[in-house]
């Protein structure tokens, strides 16, 4: 049985150190924010090259807090992608604002920058791109244009901590180009906690200060509330564990890249490239392969049959994502219809995420691709 994700393998690498640290935190009886959180924030700040990192309770909360810091109001429009996790869009409707969807690029899964510019109106207040599956979207291509139109940018970097683009020979990390970047430490992410956790990042001191206040009920001084924020703090225990994992993250991200290359080679060598589109790395990108997502180029229904076949053969895969966000029941009131965003809709029918995680072996990868080959032989 090969699961889509086996967290035990990377846990084994840090188990002893983490258990000692957990005992230390328990003995300190400090549970919320505190020294470990501050240290973790400092370490993320130095990793990303300066700025302000502010821990909070989840990636979903980080998105809501970011929009609060931008003073998003009912009636404001925010351009975003229909092909993402739900939280990317629910943060917008939660603020009473209106999501405006721009379609994606089928080969990178990222929002199409030309489409974004076409969707701006005088009511557009912000742009919320997602760096999908570990690959950064080329935001720099439209930043000057967005700036000129007074549009703020919140980067959903929940899947891409450590991914970057090389611009003029310099590494520019995902989450550091826009006004605010958000991260998630949900256990399945490439830097995962032992529970929920999230973070906001900004280079602008005014947003840094505002976010720090918003995560503690809008109070700079305890019990004196300047505005209504959220109760959304990062736990001490989570930060302590995340600090240990952060030291491994670059090695783990590199392992993910190696595993992706190895899958690519297997698909090529087994002659499957006419059946299966392998993920591409956009020029200049350092993709961290939070997920390795292939597309099945065949008649409709084949992807679902393959999913079932792999599962019957003991291989766990997942469909990220089975329904485009503009077609979700809870967003019916926005008036989205089938056909509005054809590329996103097509992806929901063709994508399949294969097992990829630190500790996955070459043998297991061979088994995955051989089983996919057996499926197509049988057809
Ligand atoms: C995981 C994820 C989130 C939400 O993060 P949580 O910590 O689970 O709340 C938001 N956006 C994207 C794209 C994600 O993958």
């Amino acid at each position: 049985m090969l699961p889509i994700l086996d967290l035990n393998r990377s846990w084994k690498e840090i188990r002893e150190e983490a258990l000692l640290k957990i005992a230390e935190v328990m003995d300190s009886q400090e549970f919320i924010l505190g020294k470990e959180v501050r240290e973790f924030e400092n370490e993320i700040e130095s990793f990303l090259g300066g700025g302000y990192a502010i821990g909070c309770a989840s990636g979903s909360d980080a998105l809501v807090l970011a929009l609060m810091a931008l003073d998003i109001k009912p009636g404001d429009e925010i351009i975003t992608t229909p092909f993402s996790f739900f939280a990317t869009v629910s943060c917008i409707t939660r603020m009473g604002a209106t999501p405006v969807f721009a379609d994606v690029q089928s080969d990178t899964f990222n929002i199409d920058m030309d489409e974004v510019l076409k969707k701006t109106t005088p009511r557009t207040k912000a742009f919320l791109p997602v760096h999908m599956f570990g690959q950064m979207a080329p935001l720099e291509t439209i930043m000057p244009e967005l700036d000129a139109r007074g549009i703020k940018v919140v980067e959903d970097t929940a899947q891409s901590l450590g991914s970057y683009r090389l611009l003029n020979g310099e590494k520019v990390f995902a989450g550091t180009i826009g006004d605010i970047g958000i991260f998630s430490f949900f256990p399945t992410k490439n830097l995962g906690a032992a529970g929920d956790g999230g973070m906001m990042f900004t280079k602008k001191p005014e947003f840094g200060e505002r976010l720090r206040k918003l995560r503690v009920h809008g109070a700079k001084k305890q019990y004196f509330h300047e505005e209504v924020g959220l109760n959304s703090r990062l736990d001490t225990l989570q930060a302590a564990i995340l600090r240990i994992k952060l030291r491994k993250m670059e090695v783990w991200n590199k392992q993910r890249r190696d595993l992706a290359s190895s899958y690519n080679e297997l698909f090529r060598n087994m002659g499957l490239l006419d059946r299966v589109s392998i993920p591409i790395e956009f020029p200049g990108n350092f993709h961290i392969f939070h997920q390795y997502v292939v597309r099945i180029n065949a008649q409709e229904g084949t992807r679902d049959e393959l999913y079932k076949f792999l599962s019957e053969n003991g291989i766990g895969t997942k469909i990220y994502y089975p329904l485009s966000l503009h077609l979700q029941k809870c967003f019916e009131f926005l008036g989205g219809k089938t056909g509005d965003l054809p590329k996103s809709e097509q992806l929901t029918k063709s994508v399949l995420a294969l097992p990829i995680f630190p500790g996955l072996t070459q043998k297991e990868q061979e088994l995955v691709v051989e089983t996919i080959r057996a499926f197509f032989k049988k057809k």
Side-chain angles (χ1 to χ4, degrees):
M1 186 57 213
L2 175 65
I4 177 139
L5 173 64
D6 183 357
L7 285 172
N8 246 304
R9 300 194 196 179
S10 47
W11 167 243
K12 286 204 177 88
E13 289 185 45
I14 59 158
R15 187 175 180 277
E16 273 167 49
E17 189 184 0
L19 289 179
L20 283 173
K21 192 75 203 180
I22 289 166
E24 190 189 302
V25 172
M26 290 311 293
D27 288 340
S28 80
Q29 290 289 293
E30 186 167 61
F31 297 118
I32 288 170
L33 297 175
K35 175 180 146 287
E36 292 291 337
V37 172
R38 190 55 243 163
E39 290 291 319
F40 178 53
E41 289 170 344
N42 288 340
E43 285 160 7
I44 292 286
E45 285 163 8
S46 22
F47 178 75
L48 295 177
Y52 306 85
I54 299 109
C56 66
S58 71
S60 302
D61 274 8
L63 283 165
V64 173
L65 288 162
L67 297 188
M68 289 172 102
L70 297 185
D71 290 312
I72 296 300
K73 303 254 178 326
D76 291 343
E77 291 177 1
I78 300 185
I79 299 174
T80 192
T81 172
F83 188 72
S84 179
F85 179 61
F86 177 68
T88 304
V89 176
S90 62
C91 63
I92 300 172
T93 57
R94 193 178 289 282
M95 299 298 290
T98 306
V100 174
F101 295 106
D103 212 350
V104 293
Q105 287 181 316
S106 306
D107 55 357
T108 63
F109 311 103
N110 275 327
I111 194 164
D112 185 326
M113 297 303 160
D114 295 332
E115 292 298 311
V116 172
L117 291 181
K118 282 188 215 152
K119 297 280 172 126
T120 63
T121 75
R123 289 179 300 281
T124 308
K125 192 78 188 283
F127 170 42
L128 205 173
V130 181
H131 303 296
M132 215 53 210
F133 300 141
Q135 168 152 245
M136 193 169 167
L139 291 191
E140 79 287 351
T141 54
I142 63 165
M143 282 306 285
E145 192 57 44
L146 294 175
D147 225 27
R149 300 182 196 186
I151 298 168
K152 295 278 190 267
V153 177
V154 174
E155 297 174 64
D156 183 338
T157 320
Q159 304 186 356
S160 298
L161 178 56
S163 74
Y164 60 79
R165 279 177 64 59
L166 274 182
L167 299 175
N168 306 318
E170 288 215 25
K171 286 183 196 176
V172 177
F173 283 101
T176 67
I177 286 197
D179 295 275
I180 301 171
I182 74 93
F183 301 98
S184 164
F185 308 120
F186 186 74
T188 63
K189 310 286 174 171
N190 67 310
L191 181 64
D196 277 309
M199 187 162 271
M200 289 90 57
F201 177 83
T202 180
K203 286 189 169 156
K204 302 189 170 157
E206 66 275 19
F207 288 137
E209 197 177 318
R210 185 90 185 274
L211 289 166
R212 213 168 272 289
K213 181 168 76 173
L214 282 166
R215 74 172 167 179
V216 286
H217 283 306
K220 215 188 290 176
K221 189 169 151 210
Q222 205 180 17
Y223 307 125
F224 294 85
H225 301 271
E226 295 175 4
E227 60 180 319
V228 178
L230 291 187
N231 171 24
S232 182
R233 291 85 50 107
L234 184 61
D235 289 342
T236 315
L237 210 48
Q238 299 305 346
I241 294 166
L242 287 164
R243 289 184 68 199
I244 295 170
K245 287 194 170 183
L246 180 60
R247 278 182 247 131
K248 297 268 181 190
M249 187 184 73
E250 282 176 280
V251 172
W252 285 343
N253 283 350
K254 175 75 173 44
Q255 273 183 36
R256 290 174 176 279
R257 288 177 59 80
D258 292 344
L259 291 167
S261 308
S262 156
Y263 267 135
N264 290 347
E265 207 166 305
L266 286 165
F267 279 114
R268 222 171 273 130
N269 294 346
M270 292 200 202
L272 285 168
L273 293 186
D274 56 334
R275 309 288 198 138
V276 176
S277 291
I278 56 179
I280 67 153
E281 190 173 43
F282 194 76
N285 267 359
F286 185 85
H287 190 329
I288 58 135
F289 289 94
H290 170 60
Q291 297 294 346
Y292 184 89
V293 176
V294 297
R295 288 174 291 145
I296 307 306
N297 315 313
Q299 78 214 66
E300 216 176 304
T302 308
R303 188 272 318 269
D304 293 331
E305 286 171 38
L306 175 59
Y307 171 86
K308 193 158 158 271
F309 184 80
L310 288 168
S311 160
E312 285 163 358
N313 284 279
I315 295 167
T317 62
K318 222 154 170 173
I319 295 161
Y320 300 118
Y321 294 92
L323 185 61
S324 191
L325 291 169
H326 70 292
L327 300 176
Q328 296 286 347
K329 182 151 193 344
C330 65
F331 297 139
E332 246 170 33
F333 70 98
L334 294 168
K337 295 180 306 299
T338 302
D340 286 352
L341 298 149
K343 289 184 181 163
S344 172
E345 292 166 31
Q346 180 52 36
L347 284 179
T348 62
K349 297 185 184 120
S350 63
V351 287
L352 192 64
L354 307 183
I356 190 162
F357 49 83
L360 182 72
T361 67
Q362 172 77 21
K363 269 219 136 46
E364 287 169 326
Q365 290 192 285
E366 282 166 16
L367 176 69
V368 173
V369 183
E370 265 161 19
T371 312
I372 293 174
R373 181 167 62 175
F375 169 81
F376 283 113
K377 255 210 188 110
K378 194 170 62 73
K379 272 191 83 75

